[in-house]
Amino acid sequence: MAAAVSGCYQDLFAAGDGLAPDTEPSSSSTSTSTGEVMPTSSAGSGVQTVTGPVDTTSTTLPAPDTTSDVPEQNTPPKIEMFEAKPSALHEAGTTQLFLEASEDVVKVRLSRNGVEFVELTPDDFPYTYEVLSAKYNADTIDVVVEDAEGLTASAGTELKVLLPNAGVQKCLFEDKTAAASSISALVYTEDAIVAAGVRDDGSGVKATIWKLDPDHCEVVLPGWPKTMGDWAEDMDLASLPSGAAALAVDEVGNLALGINLIKDAKPQRYVAFLTKDGARLWEKLGKFGEEVAGVAITPKAVVAVGWVRTSENPVRTDAMIWQHLNSGTSVWPQTLRAPFTDDEFDHDKQNVWSEWARAVLYEPTTDLLYVVGERELRASDANVYGRAFVARYVSAGGQFGKPWTSSGAAIPHDGANAAEFCGVDFLLAGWARDVIPGATPLPLTMKLNLGDFGLGDSPDSYFAEPLQSAQLHGISCDREGKLVNAATRTVGFMDAQVFAYEHLDGPRTWYQKGGPGNDTARALDCDERGFCGWGGARTIDGKLVAVVRVHHP
């Protein structure tokens, strides 16, 4: 799931396309078989005809030979039944393919639109056929079965697949009843779309969690949204202005929340761990000057990342990592500040340069935490640059290997706001900016080679989107491996920009290109089926209100 990142509490977004109509035609199948059949041979009758005088002495003729060297007949295999249930799909999903064939079948090949896509055996049925996007649109699925002799039979079954094109809107949620609201973090689960941010119902801005129906996101699930007043033990805390900046959901649905409170114009970090129903398991209040931007859940703890202020005027910060055990016990706060490695030009002994940890991911197979963000770095040319960084930690605490800092070789300034694992790829999303006067940030995607992580200076791939004055705030990938990005562009007003592509330098499919008034995209995640939803805010009737929009893959 995509790492949630913090965003300002003013956002917005635009509407989209309609749903494709449902169809459910009846299924049918036809079959043919091919194979050369050998005829069975038989001997003659052995009748004899004689003319002239008849010899009364009888002669007994030998019986005909009924044996033959001709092999037994080899008939092609048979398909008794081949069908799909359901026999129609109008959005990404699965259908079951059922096959009954003769016992001599050893191979089964399936094809769509005349192109074979998988070879199976009879034991693989019923077979779960995944339909991921409009590329799978077809009227039938064909099967060819083959026996050990190479003889075959074929059949087809009706399977009406008519999916919308990538990026077409599946559903849209707009928080029209709020005085103001916005979403900063989002996780798309099987049971719900969980979103977190800020909401003002007329009594002031409060950190808020929404749960939306995963198939009809315009429907808010019963009992939601919830604010701190629904779970906090200290109602004085719950009454403070607050905003949720980060969200994580574990395998049983428990929720980890990173919230920033404001008291006397100063930020204060607050982390809560809730049940899937929103009941408090524990809560932890940080120090004044601490801000949280990302959270992750490990098997034994909740880990929060962000920064702490080291100076008020000017504001300077050090990146921070806080770990809280599932019991609520705080174990280790760790500071991440210059120098990250001993070979850095400036060791920043006076601590004048700032660092911000903006997101954290937990990778269970290695039991490692990936902390990403942005730092100020004084390079050997004596100039100070903004640079993206990644630092790894074992989940029990302690840094793993050396942190990685972008070299700025392609574009001098860059930073990371979000991160995601897509297959074997580790991706960063953020911004890049040139040093020339008046340069504005460009949306940036980087793919890091984890095999060389911490050793090389450059990522495997580095692509700055030619979209001026914009930053990426969310990144994820669908089932086909398409990368989907959520960005906000600021050019006198704010515009939500959401787009997908199969390759970093390939063509873009635009899901969202702004709308009338201010709108933003602050968070994004894709579910197991490939649907991708993003959250932010949009202007409706002069109000900034929270929005979630889900798109077909």
Side-chain angles (χ1 to χ4, degrees):
M1 297 184 187
V5 298
S6 64
C8 59
Y9 305 140
Q10 294 180 343
D11 309 89
L12 147 147
F13 165 171
D17 306 301
L19 293 171
D22 294 349
T23 57
E24 187 67 24
S26 60
S27 64
S28 63
S29 66
T30 60
S31 67
T32 61
S33 65
T34 62
E36 193 171 328
V37 180
M38 299 296 295
T40 303
S41 63
S42 62
S45 64
V47 177
Q48 182 179 15
T49 302
V50 185
T51 60
V54 176
D55 187 352
T56 57
T57 303
S58 64
T59 303
T60 302
L61 297 178
D65 184 6
T66 58
T67 64
S68 173
D69 292 333
V70 178
E72 292 185 4
Q73 175 179 342
N74 186 15
T75 59
K78 293 182 179 180
I79 297 175
E80 304 295 340
M81 182 269 290
F82 179 55
E83 63 181 5
K85 294 181 180 180
S87 61
L89 291 171
H90 64 273
E91 65 178 27
T94 63
T95 186
Q96 295 292 113
L97 299 179
F98 295 88
L99 174 70
E100 293 181 6
S102 53
E103 293 183 356
D104 55 346
V105 171
V106 295
K107 293 181 182 179
V108 181
R109 295 187 293 273
L110 298 179
S111 61
R112 176 183 63 247
N113 296 330
V115 179
E116 181 181 321
F117 61 86
V118 69
E119 182 175 300
L120 306 168
T121 70
D123 291 339
D124 294 319
F125 288 84
Y127 176 71
T128 300
Y129 176 57
E130 293 185 307
V131 173
L132 304 182
S133 71
K135 295 178 182 178
Y136 289 70
N137 285 356
D139 292 326
T140 61
I141 293 292
D142 298 312
V143 63
V144 175
V145 299
E146 184 178 326
D147 66 14
E149 302 296 325
L151 301 183
T152 63
S154 62
T157 187
E158 186 176 78
L159 178 57
K160 296 288 187 181
V161 178
L162 186 60
L163 269 59
N165 290 330
V168 170
Q169 177 179 299
K170 173 177 169 64
C171 59
L172 174 68
F173 163 74
E174 297 171 321
D175 189 24
K176 294 182 179 180
T177 61
S181 58
S182 68
I183 287 169
S184 300
L186 182 146
V187 179
Y188 203 148
T189 74
E190 182 179 357
D191 299 324
I193 299 172
V194 188
V198 62
R199 191 172 194 266
D200 184 357
D201 61 3
S203 61
V205 294
K206 299 291 189 298
T208 302
I209 319 170
W210 292 261
K211 276 195 172 185
L212 311 176
D213 187 290
D215 292 313
H216 303 280
C217 62
E218 68 278 6
V219 177
V220 180
L221 296 182
W224 302 86
K226 294 182 184 295
T227 64
M228 283 185 63
D230 293 309
W231 71 76
E233 183 176 14
D234 186 342
M235 288 298 104
D236 289 337
L237 283 181
S239 66
L240 293 174
S242 60
L247 167 70
V249 183
D250 69 12
E251 66 278 0
V252 298
N254 293 328
L255 310 173
L257 279 174
I259 292 173
N260 293 312
L261 309 174
I262 301 296
K263 185 175 183 180
D264 299 328
K266 294 181 179 180
Q268 188 173 18
R269 177 181 62 90
Y270 170 89
V271 177
F273 197 38
L274 312 178
T275 68
K276 66 179 181 179
D277 297 321
R280 182 184 73 254
L281 293 170
W282 52 259
E283 59 186 346
K284 287 295 175 182
L285 183 64
K287 300 176 182 178
F288 283 109
E290 293 180 346
E291 297 182 64
V292 62
V295 292
I297 302 174
T298 74
K300 296 181 179 180
V302 171
V303 177
V305 301
W307 52 87
V308 60
R309 295 188 180 189
T310 58
S311 170
E312 289 292 338
N313 189 20
V315 174
R316 294 174 176 145
T317 63
D318 285 340
M320 292 293 299
I321 302 97
W322 302 275
Q323 185 189 56
H324 306 287
L325 296 181
N326 289 342
S327 61
T329 303
S330 298
V331 180
W332 49 265
Q334 295 203 19
T335 303
L336 185 59
R337 49 156 293 187
F340 282 20
T341 58
D342 291 337
D343 59 354
E344 290 182 1
F345 173 76
D346 185 355
H347 283 208
D348 192 21
K349 294 181 179 180
Q350 302 302 316
N351 200 19
V352 297
W353 313 126
S354 291
E355 298 84 18
W356 303 266
R358 301 200 183 275
V360 58
L361 287 178
Y362 174 64
E363 207 291 302
T365 60
T366 59
D367 194 36
L368 291 178
L369 293 156
Y370 287 73
V371 179
V372 309
E374 170 192 346
R375 61 179 299 203
E376 293 177 330
L377 177 70
R378 185 168 179 260
S380 57
D381 63 4
N383 291 317
V384 178
Y385 299 95
R387 296 285 167 81
F389 74 81
V390 183
R392 295 184 294 183
Y393 294 82
V394 295
S395 68
Q399 200 169 92
F400 180 86
K402 295 180 179 179
W404 173 88
T405 299
S406 171
S407 66
I411 300 178
H413 295 276
D414 56 34
N417 293 326
E420 179 66 294
F421 286 101
C422 289
V424 298
D425 295 331
F426 179 58
L427 302 168
L428 302 182
W431 59 272
R433 179 175 56 82
D434 209 336
V435 294
I436 61 176
T440 61
L442 305 173
L444 173 67
T445 303
M446 287 190 281
K447 183 174 71 173
L448 295 182
N449 181 346
L450 296 182
D452 294 332
F453 180 76
L455 301 177
D457 290 331
S458 300
D460 278 0
S461 301
Y462 184 106
F463 191 86
E465 196 73 27
L467 186 66
Q468 297 292 329
S469 302
Q471 294 191 36
L472 294 181
H473 296 284
I475 187 169
S476 191
C477 48
D478 66 17
R479 288 295 303 277
E480 288 187 306
K482 293 194 301 291
L483 297 182
V484 187
N485 286 317
T488 296
R489 187 182 187 192
T490 305
V491 282
F493 54 91
M494 295 183 292
D495 260 336
Q497 307 282 324
V498 183
F499 52 92
Y501 46 87
E502 294 185 10
H503 307 286
L504 286 179
D505 56 353
R508 269 49 181 159
T509 299
W510 286 93
Y511 291 7
Q512 174 71 32
K513 293 193 76 171
N518 285 312
D519 57 342
T520 64
R522 296 291 184 184
L524 180 144
D525 194 21
C526 300
D527 79 348
E528 292 296 325
R529 300 167 297 176
F531 295 106
C532 296
W534 60 270
R538 68 186 310 184
T539 301
I540 298 178
D541 298 330
K543 303 183 299 181
L544 280 169
V545 297
V547 62
V548 172
R549 192 182 186 202
V550 177
H551 300 267
H552 287 275

